[in-house]
Amino acid sequence: MDIATSFSAFHSSDQAISDAIRKLNIKIANPKLVLAYFSEHYDELAIQSRLKEAYPDSQILACTSCQGVMTDDGYKQGEGIALWALCDYSGAYGTAIVSSNQSPYDMARQAVLQAIENSNRPGELPALILLHATPGAEEDVLKGIEDELTVPVPIIGGSAADDYVKGNWKLFNQLQSTQEGVGICVFYPSCEISFSFHSGYASTGKNAYATKVEGREIIELNGRPASEVYSGWLGKELTVSGIMRESSLNPLGRIAGKVHDLPYFKLSHPCRLTDRGGIEFFATVKEGEKLFFMEGTEERLVSRAGRVIESANEIGSSQALDPIGGIAIYCAGCMLRVQDKMNNVATYINKAMHAAPFICAFTFGEQGQFTGGENAHGNLMISAVLFHRD
């Protein structure tokens, strides 16, 4: 197995994808799978066409990333196209995009079946699923995948992002392109894989129950307006224009499971204040759930990416594994909070990866599998998968 990455920052779609393909071809030949992460202003149909032309026998999955990307070559701020390619003669891979008038749940079920069919491994459970869906119903998408497969399969993923939360996100594979739908890649690799999913935030101990919820809006916490309760915990009033940054170090957490009686959390990041005193989030909270006021620091946001990679390196083995390469998903909200320190984040990841090639997108929601085996959707989190030499 071999993995390679490339990057180009040309403003023109044609120039950028041609340059990225040229650089990739120097490092790898005949990849079975090509992943692409790119900035919102690029012409996705032009990128799709060039990738299909360059890699006619490859499965392809592409997704927009917020204000840049990151690879083993470093953090790339602003615009650009990054490619990640895998050559694996004994492995199998399949991608699918489903965009229709169906529910996100049904689109997910159809997408995972189509991806398995495209891998030519019908009836066989994949070792890993990479998920890129457009934002809004990620919990339903996860449930659709899990209900269709019936047996738990590790999922890593990130919700498609744009630069300013304006809905300019895009997805495509070798056959389809959409701004609203579900993209899936199934992996049947010939090597061992490991994965990790963490937040890096800690509970302050302050908590409340979601006593009134509508969709992704928490209207009341403990019977009081949610914005009033949250602002009291935060110690300042939230502003309409600055809520995402003001709350990025203090999301709300729900206990996803416990290890040695210590809880681990999936996070929900506030994105909008509502007229009735509620708060809308990037993740769904159910009425009656207990929510904890979480706390993080910029220093943790910078260093935790490397720790998550190190954790993935150690999972499933009595000794540290030797990565061939990897995929990381880093929350766009965290990236924007520490954008001036993202070169340090890249350094931490490179060190943890032992300089093996990796790609990292900045997304509007992260999916991964916790230590206890639960696949979940959260915000302000990092998810990673590593591919290892025998």
Side-chain angles (χ1 to χ4, degrees):
M1 177 186 279
D2 195 15
I3 292 173
T5 63
S6 68
F7 173 81
S8 180
F10 282 110
H11 182 73
S12 157
S13 298
D14 288 334
Q15 280 185 294
I17 189 58
S18 296
D19 186 46
I21 289 170
R22 179 187 61 81
K23 291 173 179 175
L24 191 66
N25 287 344
I26 294 171
K27 302 176 182 178
I28 199 168
N30 302 317
K32 281 198 173 178
L33 174 65
V34 177
L35 305 179
Y37 298 103
F38 61 102
S39 305
E40 66 169 54
H41 81 273
Y42 288 114
D43 181 344
E44 72 277 17
L45 298 182
I47 300 172
Q48 180 191 48
S49 176
R50 287 289 290 113
L51 287 174
K52 286 170 61 178
E53 178 186 353
Y55 308 110
D57 299 321
S58 301
Q59 295 289 300
I60 297 166
L61 185 61
C63 178
T64 44
S65 176
C66 177
Q67 296 188 29
V69 293
M70 187 161 51
T71 72
D72 46 291
D73 196 37
Y75 167 60
K76 313 296 185 180
Q77 182 177 353
E79 64 182 16
I81 298 175
L83 301 179
W84 182 96
L86 179 150
C87 181
D88 182 6
Y89 294 110
S90 302
Y93 305 85
T95 68
I97 297 276
V98 173
S99 177
S100 67
N101 293 326
Q102 302 176 80
S103 67
Y105 174 86
D106 288 330
M107 284 193 287
R109 296 186 71 165
Q110 185 179 335
V112 74
L113 288 178
Q114 185 64 56
I116 291 172
E117 182 178 332
N118 291 344
S119 74
N120 294 316
R121 292 285 186 93
E124 184 178 341
L125 282 174
L128 174 75
I129 292 172
L130 174 65
L131 169 64
H132 290 305
T134 50
E138 291 91 342
E139 292 88 359
D140 291 339
V141 170
L142 286 174
K143 182 168 173 48
I145 295 170
E146 293 182 327
D147 285 356
E148 184 60 47
L149 297 181
T150 69
V151 176
V153 172
I155 296 173
I156 176 179
S159 308
D162 60 3
D163 287 349
Y164 300 105
V165 203
K166 300 293 185 182
N168 296 323
W169 39 71
K170 307 167 187 177
L171 297 169
F172 70 79
N173 74 339
Q174 64 273 13
L175 299 174
Q176 294 168 282
S177 174
T178 187
Q179 284 191 284
E180 186 173 352
V182 177
I184 280 177
C185 179
V186 292
F187 291 70
Y188 300 86
S190 62
C191 71
E192 185 175 355
I193 62 171
S194 62
F195 37 86
S196 188
F197 187 43
H198 287 290
S199 74
Y201 290 71
S203 171
T204 63
K206 299 173 183 176
N207 63 81
Y209 288 92
T211 47
K212 190 174 183 182
V213 175
E214 188 174 298
R216 286 191 161 181
E217 179 190 0
I218 300 178
I219 302 167
E220 292 180 359
L221 289 166
N222 286 353
R224 296 168 53 205
S227 59
E228 179 183 308
V229 175
Y230 182 88
S231 295
W233 287 342
L234 194 63
K236 64 179 180 181
E237 290 295 321
L238 293 167
T239 62
V240 173
S241 60
I243 180 172
M244 285 189 286
R245 180 175 176 81
E246 291 161 358
S247 62
S248 60
L249 294 181
N250 298 101
L252 296 185
R254 288 165 289 157
I255 295 177
K258 293 183 178 181
V259 174
H260 305 304
D261 292 327
L262 293 175
Y264 50 87
F265 296 84
K266 53 186 176 183
L267 306 183
S268 299
H269 184 196
C271 63
R272 189 175 71 89
L273 294 172
T274 66
D275 294 338
R276 52 185 168 181
I279 304 175
E280 189 175 314
F281 290 78
F282 282 110
T284 301
V285 172
K286 295 179 181 178
E287 200 161 283
E289 283 193 289
K290 189 175 186 178
L291 302 170
F292 294 81
F293 185 63
M294 308 294 287
E295 185 175 52
T297 65
E298 291 191 358
E299 290 73 20
R300 278 190 223 155
L301 296 188
V302 171
S303 62
R304 68 165 181 167
R307 293 199 302 273
V308 171
I309 300 295
E310 289 170 355
S311 174
N313 243 329
E314 296 165 359
I315 288 175
S317 177
S318 59
Q319 59 184 3
L321 301 172
D322 185 11
I324 302 166
I327 303 166
I329 306 294
Y330 193 93
C331 173
C334 294
M335 178 275 292
L336 293 171
R337 180 77 191 208
V338 295
Q339 199 162 25
D340 60 336
K341 301 180 181 72
M342 284 303 296
N343 286 320
N344 294 337
V345 175
T347 298
Y348 279 116
I349 295 181
N350 264 317
K351 183 178 179 182
M353 287 289 303
H354 304 284
F358 75 89
I359 198 165
C360 178
F362 304 122
T363 58
F364 285 163
E366 297 72 54
Q367 296 86 49
Q369 187 175 86
F370 286 112
T371 304
E374 311 92 344
N375 288 315
H377 164 70
N379 310 136
L380 301 170
M381 304 186 76
I382 184 168
S383 192
V385 61
L386 304 184
F387 302 81
H388 301 278
R389 293 180 180 85
D390 294 335

Short mmCIF file of all heavy atoms in Angstrom, two decimals, residues 153-200:
data_model
loop_
_atom_site.label_atom_id
_atom_site.label_comp_id
_atom_site.label_asym_id
_atom_site.label_seq_id
_atom_site.Cartn_x
_atom_site.Cartn_y
_atom_site.Cartn_z
N VAL A 153 -19.79 -0.40 12.14
CA VAL A 153 -18.59 -0.18 11.34
C VAL A 153 -18.04 1.20 11.71
O VAL A 153 -18.81 2.16 11.81
CB VAL A 153 -18.90 -0.22 9.82
CG1 VAL A 153 -17.71 0.22 9.00
CG2 VAL A 153 -19.35 -1.61 9.40
N PRO A 154 -16.74 1.33 11.96
CA PRO A 154 -16.19 2.64 12.32
C PRO A 154 -16.45 3.67 11.22
O PRO A 154 -16.29 3.39 10.03
CB PRO A 154 -14.69 2.37 12.46
CG PRO A 154 -14.59 0.91 12.70
CD PRO A 154 -15.71 0.28 11.96
N ILE A 155 -16.87 4.85 11.64
CA ILE A 155 -17.14 5.95 10.72
C ILE A 155 -16.25 7.13 11.09
O ILE A 155 -16.15 7.50 12.25
CB ILE A 155 -18.62 6.37 10.76
CG1 ILE A 155 -19.51 5.22 10.29
CG2 ILE A 155 -18.86 7.62 9.91
CD1 ILE A 155 -21.00 5.48 10.46
N ILE A 156 -15.59 7.70 10.09
CA ILE A 156 -14.88 8.96 10.26
C ILE A 156 -15.46 9.93 9.25
O ILE A 156 -15.83 9.53 8.14
CB ILE A 156 -13.35 8.80 10.03
CG1 ILE A 156 -12.64 10.17 10.13
CG2 ILE A 156 -13.05 8.14 8.70
CD1 ILE A 156 -11.15 10.11 9.94
N GLY A 157 -15.60 11.19 9.63
CA GLY A 157 -16.16 12.11 8.65
C GLY A 157 -16.21 13.53 9.12
O GLY A 157 -15.91 13.86 10.28
N GLY A 158 -16.63 14.39 8.20
CA GLY A 158 -16.81 15.80 8.49
C GLY A 158 -17.85 16.36 7.55
O GLY A 158 -17.91 16.01 6.36
N SER A 159 -18.69 17.25 8.07
CA SER A 159 -19.73 17.87 7.25
C SER A 159 -19.12 18.91 6.32
O SER A 159 -18.25 19.68 6.73
CB SER A 159 -20.78 18.52 8.15
OG SER A 159 -21.24 17.58 9.11
N ALA A 160 -19.58 18.92 5.08
CA ALA A 160 -19.06 19.85 4.09
C ALA A 160 -19.14 21.28 4.60
O ALA A 160 -20.10 21.67 5.26
CB ALA A 160 -19.84 19.71 2.78
N ALA A 161 -18.11 22.07 4.30
CA ALA A 161 -18.03 23.43 4.82
C ALA A 161 -17.80 24.43 3.70
O ALA A 161 -17.36 24.06 2.60
CB ALA A 161 -16.90 23.53 5.85
N ASP A 162 -18.09 25.68 3.97
CA ASP A 162 -17.70 26.77 3.08
C ASP A 162 -16.92 27.77 3.91
O ASP A 162 -16.53 27.48 5.06
CB ASP A 162 -18.92 27.40 2.39
CG ASP A 162 -19.92 27.98 3.39
OD1 ASP A 162 -19.67 27.95 4.61
OD2 ASP A 162 -20.98 28.47 2.95
N ASP A 163 -16.67 28.96 3.39
CA ASP A 163 -15.82 29.90 4.11
C ASP A 163 -16.54 30.68 5.20
O ASP A 163 -15.95 31.02 6.22
CB ASP A 163 -15.16 30.88 3.14
CG ASP A 163 -14.06 30.22 2.32
OD1 ASP A 163 -13.66 29.09 2.65
OD2 ASP A 163 -13.60 30.85 1.34
N TYR A 164 -17.84 30.98 4.99
CA TYR A 164 -18.53 31.88 5.92
C TYR A 164 -19.94 31.40 6.28
O TYR A 164 -20.82 32.22 6.57
CB TYR A 164 -18.60 33.29 5.32
CG TYR A 164 -17.24 33.87 5.04
CD1 TYR A 164 -16.76 33.94 3.73
CD2 TYR A 164 -16.40 34.31 6.07
CE1 TYR A 164 -15.50 34.46 3.45
CE2 TYR A 164 -15.14 34.82 5.80
CZ TYR A 164 -14.70 34.90 4.49
OH TYR A 164 -13.44 35.40 4.22
N VAL A 165 -20.19 30.11 6.27
CA VAL A 165 -21.49 29.52 6.63
C VAL A 165 -22.62 30.14 5.81
O VAL A 165 -23.65 30.55 6.34
CB VAL A 165 -21.79 29.65 8.15
CG1 VAL A 165 -22.80 28.58 8.59
CG2 VAL A 165 -20.53 29.51 8.98
N LYS A 166 -22.41 30.20 4.50
CA LYS A 166 -23.40 30.76 3.59
C LYS A 166 -24.07 29.70 2.72
O LYS A 166 -24.83 30.02 1.81
CB LYS A 166 -22.74 31.82 2.68
CG LYS A 166 -22.11 32.99 3.40
CD LYS A 166 -23.13 33.86 4.09
CE LYS A 166 -22.48 35.09 4.70
NZ LYS A 166 -23.46 35.95 5.41
N GLY A 167 -23.75 28.44 2.96
CA GLY A 167 -24.35 27.37 2.17
C GLY A 167 -23.65 27.10 0.86
O GLY A 167 -24.22 26.45 -0.03
N ASN A 168 -22.40 27.55 0.71
CA ASN A 168 -21.67 27.36 -0.54
C ASN A 168 -20.82 26.09 -0.55
O ASN A 168 -19.84 25.99 -1.28
CB ASN A 168 -20.76 28.58 -0.80
CG ASN A 168 -21.57 29.85 -1.00
OD1 ASN A 168 -22.64 29.81 -1.60
ND2 ASN A 168 -21.07 30.96 -0.48
N TRP A 169 -21.18 25.11 0.28
CA TRP A 169 -20.44 23.85 0.32
C TRP A 169 -20.81 22.96 -0.87
O TRP A 169 -21.88 23.11 -1.47
CB TRP A 169 -20.72 23.12 1.63
CG TRP A 169 -22.13 23.21 2.09
CD1 TRP A 169 -23.23 22.60 1.54
CD2 TRP A 169 -22.63 23.99 3.19
NE1 TRP A 169 -24.36 22.92 2.23
CE2 TRP A 169 -24.02 23.77 3.25
CE3 TRP A 169 -22.03 24.81 4.15
CZ2 TRP A 169 -24.83 24.36 4.22
CZ3 TRP A 169 -22.83 25.40 5.11
CH2 TRP A 169 -24.21 25.18 5.14
N LYS A 170 -19.91 22.04 -1.19
CA LYS A 170 -20.09 21.18 -2.37
C LYS A 170 -19.52 19.79 -2.09
O LYS A 170 -18.56 19.65 -1.34
CB LYS A 170 -19.37 21.78 -3.59
CG LYS A 170 -19.75 23.23 -3.89
CD LYS A 170 -18.78 23.85 -4.88
CE LYS A 170 -19.05 25.33 -5.06
NZ LYS A 170 -18.08 25.98 -5.98
N LEU A 171 -20.12 18.79 -2.75
CA LEU A 171 -19.64 17.41 -2.71
C LEU A 171 -19.63 16.85 -4.12
O LEU A 171 -20.49 17.19 -4.92
CB LEU A 171 -20.56 16.53 -1.87
CG LEU A 171 -20.76 16.80 -0.38
CD1 LEU A 171 -21.92 15.95 0.14
CD2 LEU A 171 -19.49 16.50 0.39
N PHE A 172 -18.67 15.99 -4.43
CA PHE A 172 -18.77 15.24 -5.67
C PHE A 172 -17.96 13.95 -5.58
O PHE A 172 -17.08 13.80 -4.74
CB PHE A 172 -18.34 16.07 -6.89
CG PHE A 172 -16.88 16.40 -7.02
CD1 PHE A 172 -15.97 15.45 -7.50
CD2 PHE A 172 -16.40 17.67 -6.70
CE1 PHE A 172 -14.62 15.75 -7.64
CE2 PHE A 172 -15.06 17.98 -6.84
CZ PHE A 172 -14.16 17.01 -7.31
N ASN A 173 -18.32 13.00 -6.45
CA ASN A 173 -17.48 11.83 -6.68
C ASN A 173 -17.28 11.71 -8.18
O ASN A 173 -17.45 12.71 -8.91
CB ASN A 173 -18.07 10.56 -6.05
CG ASN A 173 -19.27 10.02 -6.79
OD1 ASN A 173 -19.94 10.73 -7.54
ND2 ASN A 173 -19.56 8.74 -6.59
N GLN A 174 -16.89 10.55 -8.67
CA GLN A 174 -16.59 10.44 -10.09
C GLN A 174 -17.85 10.51 -10.97
O GLN A 174 -17.75 10.72 -12.19
CB GLN A 174 -15.83 9.13 -10.38
CG GLN A 174 -16.61 7.86 -10.10
CD GLN A 174 -16.48 7.40 -8.66
OE1 GLN A 174 -16.01 8.14 -7.79
NE2 GLN A 174 -16.87 6.16 -8.39
N LEU A 175 -19.03 10.38 -10.35
CA LEU A 175 -20.26 10.33 -11.14
C LEU A 175 -21.20 11.50 -10.89
O LEU A 175 -21.95 11.89 -11.78
CB LEU A 175 -21.00 9.02 -10.85
CG LEU A 175 -20.26 7.73 -11.19
CD1 LEU A 175 -21.06 6.52 -10.72
CD2 LEU A 175 -20.00 7.64 -12.68
N GLN A 176 -21.22 12.04 -9.68
CA GLN A 176 -22.23 13.03 -9.32
C GLN A 176 -21.62 14.20 -8.55
O GLN A 176 -20.52 14.10 -8.01
CB GLN A 176 -23.31 12.37 -8.46
CG GLN A 176 -24.14 11.32 -9.19
CD GLN A 176 -24.98 10.50 -8.24
OE1 GLN A 176 -24.49 9.59 -7.56
NE2 GLN A 176 -26.26 10.82 -8.16
N SER A 177 -22.39 15.30 -8.53
CA SER A 177 -22.00 16.49 -7.78
C SER A 177 -23.25 17.09 -7.16
O SER A 177 -24.34 17.04 -7.74
CB SER A 177 -21.34 17.51 -8.72
OG SER A 177 -21.07 18.71 -8.05
N THR A 178 -23.13 17.64 -5.94
CA THR A 178 -24.29 18.20 -5.27
C THR A 178 -23.90 19.24 -4.24
O THR A 178 -22.77 19.27 -3.77
CB THR A 178 -25.12 17.09 -4.59
OG1 THR A 178 -26.33 17.64 -4.07
CG2 THR A 178 -24.33 16.46 -3.42
N GLN A 179 -24.86 20.09 -3.87
CA GLN A 179 -24.70 21.01 -2.75
C GLN A 179 -25.60 20.60 -1.58
O GLN A 179 -25.63 21.28 -0.56
CB GLN A 179 -25.03 22.44 -3.18
CG GLN A 179 -23.92 23.09 -4.00
CD GLN A 179 -24.14 24.57 -4.19
OE1 GLN A 179 -24.97 24.98 -4.98
NE2 GLN A 179 -23.38 25.37 -3.47
N GLU A 180 -26.30 19.48 -1.75
CA GLU A 180 -27.14 18.99 -0.66
C GLU A 180 -27.29 17.48 -0.82
O GLU A 180 -27.95 17.01 -1.75
CB GLU A 180 -28.52 19.65 -0.68
CG GLU A 180 -29.38 19.26 0.51
CD GLU A 180 -30.67 20.05 0.59
OE1 GLU A 180 -30.84 21.00 -0.19
OE2 GLU A 180 -31.51 19.70 1.44
N GLY A 181 -26.66 16.74 0.07
CA GLY A 181 -26.74 15.29 -0.05
C GLY A 181 -25.77 14.59 0.87
O GLY A 181 -25.24 15.17 1.83
N VAL A 182 -25.50 13.33 0.56
CA VAL A 182 -24.64 12.47 1.37
C VAL A 182 -23.57 11.85 0.48
O VAL A 182 -23.89 11.26 -0.55
CB VAL A 182 -25.47 11.35 2.05
CG1 VAL A 182 -24.55 10.41 2.84
CG2 VAL A 182 -26.52 11.96 2.98
N GLY A 183 -22.31 11.99 0.90
CA GLY A 183 -21.19 11.37 0.21
C GLY A 183 -20.53 10.34 1.11
O GLY A 183 -20.29 10.62 2.30
N ILE A 184 -20.24 9.17 0.56
CA ILE A 184 -19.68 8.07 1.36
C ILE A 184 -18.57 7.38 0.58
O ILE A 184 -18.66 7.22 -0.64
CB ILE A 184 -20.78 7.05 1.73
CG1 ILE A 184 -21.59 7.58 2.92
CG2 ILE A 184 -20.20 5.68 2.09
CD1 ILE A 184 -22.74 6.68 3.33
N CYS A 185 -17.53 6.98 1.31
CA CYS A 185 -16.50 6.10 0.78
C CYS A 185 -16.36 4.91 1.72
O CYS A 185 -16.25 5.10 2.93
CB CYS A 185 -15.16 6.82 0.65
SG CYS A 185 -13.84 5.78 0.01
N VAL A 186 -16.39 3.71 1.16
CA VAL A 186 -16.17 2.51 1.97
C VAL A 186 -14.75 1.98 1.70
O VAL A 186 -14.26 2.04 0.58
CB VAL A 186 -17.21 1.42 1.67
CG1 VAL A 186 -18.58 1.86 2.15
CG2 VAL A 186 -17.25 1.06 0.18
N PHE A 187 -14.12 1.51 2.75
CA PHE A 187 -12.73 1.06 2.70
C PHE A 187 -12.65 -0.43 3.03
O PHE A 187 -13.18 -0.88 4.04
CB PHE A 187 -11.88 1.80 3.74
CG PHE A 187 -11.65 3.26 3.45
CD1 PHE A 187 -12.68 4.19 3.54
CD2 PHE A 187 -10.38 3.72 3.11
CE1 PHE A 187 -12.46 5.53 3.29
CE2 PHE A 187 -10.15 5.06 2.86
CZ PHE A 187 -11.19 5.97 2.95
N TYR A 188 -11.95 -1.18 2.17
CA TYR A 188 -11.58 -2.57 2.43
C TYR A 188 -10.06 -2.66 2.25
O TYR A 188 -9.57 -3.22 1.27
CB TYR A 188 -12.28 -3.52 1.44
CG TYR A 188 -13.79 -3.47 1.49
CD1 TYR A 188 -14.49 -2.53 0.74
CD2 TYR A 188 -14.51 -4.38 2.25
CE1 TYR A 188 -15.87 -2.49 0.75
CE2 TYR A 188 -15.90 -4.35 2.27
CZ TYR A 188 -16.58 -3.39 1.53
OH TYR A 188 -17.96 -3.35 1.55
N PRO A 189 -9.29 -2.07 3.14
CA PRO A 189 -7.84 -1.96 2.94
C PRO A 189 -7.13 -3.28 3.22
O PRO A 189 -7.63 -4.14 3.95
CB PRO A 189 -7.43 -0.89 3.95
CG PRO A 189 -8.43 -1.03 5.06
CD PRO A 189 -9.72 -1.42 4.39
N SER A 190 -5.95 -3.41 2.63
CA SER A 190 -5.15 -4.63 2.85
C SER A 190 -4.25 -4.50 4.06
O SER A 190 -3.44 -5.38 4.34
CB SER A 190 -4.29 -4.91 1.61
OG SER A 190 -3.39 -3.84 1.39
N CYS A 191 -4.38 -3.39 4.81
CA CYS A 191 -3.53 -3.16 5.97
C CYS A 191 -4.39 -2.95 7.21
O CYS A 191 -5.61 -2.83 7.14
CB CYS A 191 -2.64 -1.95 5.74
SG CYS A 191 -3.57 -0.40 5.75
N GLU A 192 -3.73 -2.87 8.35
CA GLU A 192 -4.41 -2.56 9.61
C GLU A 192 -4.71 -1.07 9.67
O GLU A 192 -3.93 -0.24 9.20
CB GLU A 192 -3.53 -2.97 10.80
CG GLU A 192 -4.21 -2.78 12.15
CD GLU A 192 -3.38 -3.30 13.31
OE1 GLU A 192 -2.32 -3.90 13.06
OE2 GLU A 192 -3.81 -3.12 14.46
N ILE A 193 -5.86 -0.72 10.23
CA ILE A 193 -6.21 0.69 10.44
C ILE A 193 -6.48 0.93 11.92
O ILE A 193 -6.78 0.00 12.67
CB ILE A 193 -7.42 1.12 9.61
CG1 ILE A 193 -8.68 0.32 10.01
CG2 ILE A 193 -7.15 0.99 8.11
CD1 ILE A 193 -9.96 0.85 9.40
N SER A 194 -6.36 2.18 12.32
CA SER A 194 -6.73 2.57 13.68
C SER A 194 -7.33 3.96 13.60
O SER A 194 -7.09 4.71 12.65
CB SER A 194 -5.52 2.55 14.62
OG SER A 194 -4.54 3.48 14.20
N PHE A 195 -8.11 4.32 14.60
CA PHE A 195 -8.83 5.58 14.53
C PHE A 195 -9.02 6.16 15.92
O PHE A 195 -8.88 5.47 16.94
CB PHE A 195 -10.19 5.39 13.84
CG PHE A 195 -10.86 4.10 14.17
CD1 PHE A 195 -11.66 3.98 15.30
CD2 PHE A 195 -10.67 3.00 13.38
CE1 PHE A 195 -12.25 2.78 15.62
CE2 PHE A 195 -11.27 1.78 13.69
CZ PHE A 195 -12.07 1.69 14.82
N SER A 196 -9.37 7.44 15.96
CA SER A 196 -9.56 8.13 17.23
C SER A 196 -10.52 9.30 17.03
O SER A 196 -10.58 9.88 15.94
CB SER A 196 -8.20 8.63 17.76
OG SER A 196 -8.33 9.13 19.08
N PHE A 197 -11.26 9.65 18.08
CA PHE A 197 -12.26 10.71 18.02
C PHE A 197 -12.31 11.38 19.38
O PHE A 197 -12.65 10.73 20.37
CB PHE A 197 -13.62 10.10 17.64
CG PHE A 197 -14.73 11.09 17.39
CD1 PHE A 197 -14.53 12.24 16.64
CD2 PHE A 197 -16.01 10.83 17.87
CE1 PHE A 197 -15.58 13.12 16.37
CE2 PHE A 197 -17.06 11.69 17.61
CZ PHE A 197 -16.85 12.84 16.86
N HIS A 198 -11.93 12.65 19.44
CA HIS A 198 -11.82 13.35 20.73
C HIS A 198 -12.25 14.80 20.62
O HIS A 198 -12.30 15.37 19.53
CB HIS A 198 -10.36 13.32 21.23
CG HIS A 198 -9.91 11.99 21.73
ND1 HIS A 198 -10.36 11.42 22.89
CD2 HIS A 198 -9.02 11.11 21.21
CE1 HIS A 198 -9.78 10.25 23.07
NE2 HIS A 198 -8.96 10.03 22.06
N SER A 199 -12.51 15.39 21.79
CA SER A 199 -12.88 16.80 21.82
C SER A 199 -11.77 17.68 22.41
O SER A 199 -11.55 18.78 21.93
CB SER A 199 -14.16 17.00 22.63
OG SER A 199 -13.91 16.86 24.02
N GLY A 200 -11.12 17.22 23.47
CA GLY A 200 -10.10 18.06 24.10
C GLY A 200 -10.68 19.11 25.03
O GLY A 200 -9.97 19.99 25.50
#
